[in-house]
Amino acid sequence: LSTQGPIQSVIKCKAAISWEPKKPFSIEEVEVAPPRAHEVRIKILATGICRSDDHVMSGALTVPFPIILGHEAAGIVESVGEGVTCVKPGDKVIPLFVPQCGECSSCVSSKGNLCTTNDIGAVRSLMKDGTTRFTCKGKQIHQFISTSTFTEYTVVHETAVVKIDAGAPPEKVCLIGCGFSTGYGAAVNTAKVERGSTCAVFGLGGVGLSVVMGCKAAGASRIIGIDINKDKFAKAKELGATECINPQDFTKPIEDVLKELTGGNGVDYSFEVIGRTDTMTAALASCHMNYGMSVIVGVPPSASKITYPAMLLFTGRTWKGSIFGGWKSKDSVPKLVADYMGKKFNLDALITHTLPFDKINEGFELLREGKR
């Protein structure tokens, strides 16, 4: 199958466009241009809904509009641009919102995974050449963190896609593109949770539940789930939480509650999986004053700043951030898919609803209501 020259053409398909913040998605016909050199066009088979997408919709995360969001997906390569050798048409793939170029300082270092070609920090929402492959009603549509998966077809750079097992179910393994990997990796890679340790997980959505799964896999003896939605407690316990608490049930700060639950010591590891600066500080204060580690997993609002007592860190605590669970994406995603296929972990519990593409706004309402 030739993938160069005139055989490649513009594809017209459906996409969910965000024209402006705080407005629902609009299902539109878009034109998806052919991939240029070192780019890959993908037919999206399944995509997950992530709170990070909703942060853009609410205006908490600042990006240029109009834009096609979505970053947690699985699909099939439709065509490739000149010079692409890592995938070919027909390959099953996962787009990567954290690319892996293999050459930058983070990719080369054993300590890092945030490739400097990412579009997360200094957001451009365009391809590497400064253009977009999406057009709708004559207008250029921005692309989201190297992926844009709320569309039937997308185009990504070759550093932002990886081939996976052809037999992997896309509606399950799409979660490895973000939510599961982000949470699970925060526990096993970033914190390096040890057997017998005590952990606290702030926020029991899909990513928080994945943190719980990671803590359990690492052998934590106590995993305390924290959420203001008690409906999430049963699922958390099913996946490994030993107990769950609602901060609204107490008059004292949640960090004080956690210290009491741990004999005054605080937990060994805490994880903030919400994206609020107040809970980030509470999570830091809840871990052991000397050797405790707190990991920020939730995406903070673009303009947010944190103020906290300096003594919280002076006494020895470690405060760390974790992006995509610390995984080097191209290296790790195929292995995680293989582990899922080998039944080393179960993604089914993280999937609460399956909806057709044109019901995407209903999916986001379920997310906001805490029913996902």
Side-chain angles (χ1 to χ4, degrees):
L1 174 64
S2 170
T3 58
Q4 317 301 331
I7 194 171
Q8 289 188 327
S9 58
V10 170
I11 288 178
K12 292 184 178 181
C13 67
K14 287 195 299 184
I17 296 181
S18 302
W19 291 103
E20 57 184 302
K22 300 180 181 176
K23 293 287 177 66
F25 291 97
S26 178
I27 303 293
E28 308 274 7
E29 181 180 86
V30 297
E31 295 177 350
V32 185
R36 298 184 183 178
H38 300 288
E39 295 176 357
V40 178
R41 189 158 60 180
I42 304 167
K43 177 181 174 66
I44 299 295
L45 299 177
T47 185
I49 288 175
C50 183
R51 181 67 75 175
S52 304
D53 302 305
D54 193 46
H55 286 337
V56 174
M57 299 292 285
S58 70
L61 269 185
T62 304
V63 301
F65 287 84
I67 192 168
I68 294 175
L69 299 175
H71 61 282
E72 182 182 79
I76 299 286
V77 174
E78 178 271 336
S79 59
V80 299
E82 182 182 352
V84 174
T85 58
C86 61
V87 294
K88 65 184 186 302
D91 284 348
K92 188 169 284 184
V93 294
I94 285 180
L96 307 168
F97 77 91
V98 174
Q100 187 180 346
C101 73
E103 299 172 355
C104 71
S105 58
S106 290
C107 283
V108 170
S109 171
S110 62
K111 298 183 286 187
N113 76 314
L114 183 58
C115 178
T116 55
T117 68
N118 78 81
D119 196 32
I120 297 168
V123 177
R124 294 193 313 153
S125 295
L126 296 166
M127 299 298 287
K128 288 183 185 296
D129 64 2
T131 64
T132 175
R133 301 294 165 267
F134 295 123
T135 309
C136 180
K137 299 176 180 175
K139 294 184 178 179
Q140 300 292 295
I141 309 298
H142 288 91
Q143 303 189 214
F144 184 55
I145 53 174
S146 309
T147 49
S148 286
T149 63
F150 291 165
T151 171
E152 292 177 318
Y153 287 86
T154 192
V155 178
V156 303
H157 193 267
E158 64 180 346
T159 57
V161 62
V162 70
K163 180 181 177 180
I164 61 167
D165 184 334
E171 71 281 5
K172 304 289 177 65
V173 299
C174 64
L175 297 179
I176 292 173
C178 180
F180 171 77
S181 304
T182 294
Y184 192 82
V188 301
N189 293 331
T190 308
K192 294 181 170 60
V193 170
E194 300 127 333
R195 186 164 297 280
S197 55
T198 301
C199 303
V201 181
F202 287 68
L204 298 174
V207 181
L209 292 174
S210 300
V211 174
V212 169
M213 293 167 73
C215 292
K216 182 181 180 182
S221 61
R222 196 171 180 191
I223 304 169
I224 306 168
I226 303 151
D227 205 294
I228 58 172
N229 184 350
K230 290 184 177 181
D231 292 343
K232 297 185 177 183
F233 291 175
K235 181 71 68 70
K237 289 177 180 177
E238 175 190 328
L239 293 174
T242 53
E243 60 214 278
C244 294
I245 56 176
N246 181 346
Q248 295 176 337
D249 290 342
F250 304 92
T251 55
K252 62 184 69 173
I254 191 64
E255 56 265 37
D256 292 343
V257 174
L258 288 165
K259 284 175 186 172
E260 284 185 9
L261 287 173
T262 53
N265 292 319
V267 297
D268 299 313
Y269 299 97
S270 65
F271 301 85
E272 201 280 352
V273 205
I274 303 166
R276 292 175 56 102
T277 54
D278 55 345
T279 43
M280 290 174 186
T281 306
L284 177 67
S286 72
C287 65
H288 192 281
M289 66 175 292
N290 180 223
Y291 56 76
M293 178 186 291
S294 188
V295 181
I296 293 174
V297 187
V299 180
S302 295
S304 60
K305 299 279 191 291
I306 295 180
T307 302
Y308 61 94
M311 192 61 74
L312 286 177
L313 288 176
F314 175 75
T315 56
R317 289 179 180 88
T318 301
W319 211 356
K320 294 195 74 172
S322 179
I323 191 156
F324 194 54
W327 305 104
K328 287 185 186 290
S329 57
K330 281 213 177 204
D331 293 344
S332 303
V333 164
K335 293 176 184 175
L336 287 166
V337 171
D339 284 348
Y340 168 74
M341 297 297 282
K343 296 183 167 48
K344 291 190 178 177
F345 52 81
N346 183 5
L347 297 172
D348 294 11
L350 302 178
I351 301 169
T352 56
H353 298 81
T354 302
L355 299 170
F357 184 43
D358 58 6
K359 302 278 190 185
I360 188 168
N361 285 307
E362 292 179 29
F364 272 83
E365 283 307 312
L366 290 168
L367 175 72
R368 292 168 192 137
E369 292 167 8
K371 293 178 180 175
R372 173 189 179 273

